[in-house]
Amino acid sequence: MDGNIIALIAANIAFVGSHFAMSHPLRGPMVKALGAGGFQLAYTAVSFATLAWVYFAFLAAPAADLPGSGEAGWIIATILTWPAMVLLAGSFIGNPALPTPQAEAQTRAEPRGALRVTRHPMMWGIGLWAISHLVLFWSTRTMVTALAMGILALVGARLQDAKKEALMGAAWAKWESKTSYWPRWGRLLSVGAVPLLAGTALWIAGSWVHLWRAGIPAGVFRWIG
């Protein structure tokens, strides 16, 4: 196996593994040793360091070394990334999974917006983005990194439920009873104007950036422009 791919695999394992470890088994001991503020600083430093490792290892790995899935793959990827961006845009509105003082109060409210689709709209947005890149079968480096990010998002969402149950008790249990881990796709178009418009704007902007930064036409720009 190419040495650069091995380095990329190691970087992704470090990034995902450190996130899982610091968010779950190491969180309590680290907070006790460093305090809440110190824990946040350490978490941020490790996250940025390992993400930088992923970034530079990705750049060093071979590009476009797989045959790709052709036009069908690009169509599927383009379709998948639209709901991904809608969920991502909607994940910042009234979401008790985010670190906010209002989290417990938000669990008592009725789910709205993207939270009507899934209680983990950010995680599913990232997960769908990862799946869209796996579908393309474009390069080994993309497959490795997309798989890692998909695991981080979708397994992480399950682990987050367990963590929130421990931290918030009945409040999170009530929230779980009103929401779903698995997306209810039939509700996607009823999330509201802000997530739909903002998500669509992100979808178009992301496709444009992909063309500008990677030199590969993606999304709607693969067929127009």
Side-chain angles (χ1 to χ4, degrees):
M1 184 182 291
D2 185 281
N4 288 321
I5 293 296
I6 294 174
L8 179 62
I9 292 172
N12 276 285
I13 290 173
F15 180 68
V16 174
S18 63
H19 266 70
F20 284 161
M22 291 188 297
S23 295
H24 302 286
L26 296 182
R27 183 184 182 92
M30 288 180 70
V31 170
K32 186 175 180 180
L34 303 173
F39 167 74
Q40 288 298 330
L41 286 173
Y43 188 100
T44 301
V46 171
S47 297
F48 274 106
T50 52
L51 183 59
W53 185 12
V54 170
Y55 175 75
F56 289 111
F58 183 90
L59 292 180
D65 60 335
L66 295 179
S69 53
E71 203 69 4
W74 282 105
I75 292 170
I76 294 169
T78 300
I79 292 170
L80 285 174
T81 50
W82 180 74
M85 294 301 101
V86 171
L87 291 177
L88 184 63
S91 68
F92 297 97
I93 303 172
N95 187 356
L98 298 178
T100 168
Q102 291 80 39
E104 191 161 335
Q106 289 170 342
T107 63
R108 293 194 291 269
E110 283 303 307
R112 60 192 181 95
L115 297 164
R116 297 183 68 245
V117 179
T118 171
R119 67 176 164 272
H120 296 292
M122 181 179 291
M123 300 298 205
W124 272 101
I126 296 169
L128 286 176
W129 170 88
I131 293 168
S132 74
H133 284 73
L134 292 172
V135 165
L136 290 173
F137 202 60
W138 186 261
S139 66
T140 305
R141 68 180 189 177
T142 301
M143 299 294 284
V144 168
T145 305
L147 180 62
M149 298 307 159
I151 290 171
L152 177 62
L154 300 183
V155 176
R158 278 299 195 191
L159 294 175
Q160 186 182 67
D161 277 336
K163 181 176 71 175
K164 293 291 187 179
E165 287 166 8
L167 292 173
M168 299 176 66
W172 193 260
K174 182 67 173 177
W175 181 245
E176 287 181 314
S177 73
K178 296 187 290 187
T179 56
S180 172
Y181 168 82
W182 296 102
R184 297 164 173 167
W185 296 118
R187 300 181 178 184
L188 184 64
L189 295 179
S190 62
V191 298
V194 172
L196 287 173
L197 292 174
T200 301
L202 281 174
W203 180 59
I204 294 171
S207 299
W208 181 81
V209 169
H210 198 284
L211 174 61
W212 173 53
R213 292 292 297 168
I216 303 169
V220 293
F221 295 103
R222 191 159 187 87
W223 298 283
I224 64 173

